[in-house]
Amino acid sequence: GLSGGGGMVSLAVGVEEAERLVEGWSGRVEVAAVNGPLSVVVAGEPEALRELVEECEGAGVRARRIDVDYASHTSQVEAIEGELVRSLSQV
């Protein structure tokens, strides 16, 4: 249900800097995971992520697309919440 609707990007910045970077795409890109002091994953709409990567490259911030076509760990997962509840109800 999520496939094709999003993507993920790894940023070599801290969480505060990542939050600042995604402000321009509020509601379209979110911090998805904090993997370390200078390793944050953001996720969201593909076009917004493309724009973010371009901005990061221009600013000298390492930004690497992760090879997925969904935006896990974001509000996009709410679209399949009911399906997940039904599927996992017996667990």
Side-chain angles (χ1 to χ4, degrees):
L2 295 177
S3 183
M8 301 178 84
V9 170
S10 173
L11 301 174
V13 297
V15 66
E16 290 177 4
E17 178 66 9
E19 289 170 343
R20 188 192 65 73
L21 285 168
V22 302
E23 283 178 352
W25 295 274
S26 180
R28 297 177 62 206
V29 177
E30 304 171 42
V31 171
V34 178
N35 295 324
L38 295 176
S39 179
V40 174
V41 175
V42 296
E45 298 174 10
E47 181 61 21
L49 290 172
R50 185 193 61 74
E51 294 168 5
L52 174 64
V53 168
E54 286 180 6
E55 183 171 300
C56 287
E57 288 172 348
V61 174
R62 187 195 60 78
R64 182 181 57 85
R65 290 191 70 78
I66 299 171
D67 191 23
V68 296
D69 67 348
Y70 51 85
S72 31
H73 309 286
T74 71
S75 58
Q76 283 191 9
V77 176
E78 292 172 6
I80 64 166
E81 182 178 11
E83 179 183 338
L84 286 173
V85 169
R86 283 187 302 281
S87 295
L88 299 173
S89 65
Q90 299 302 313
V91 177

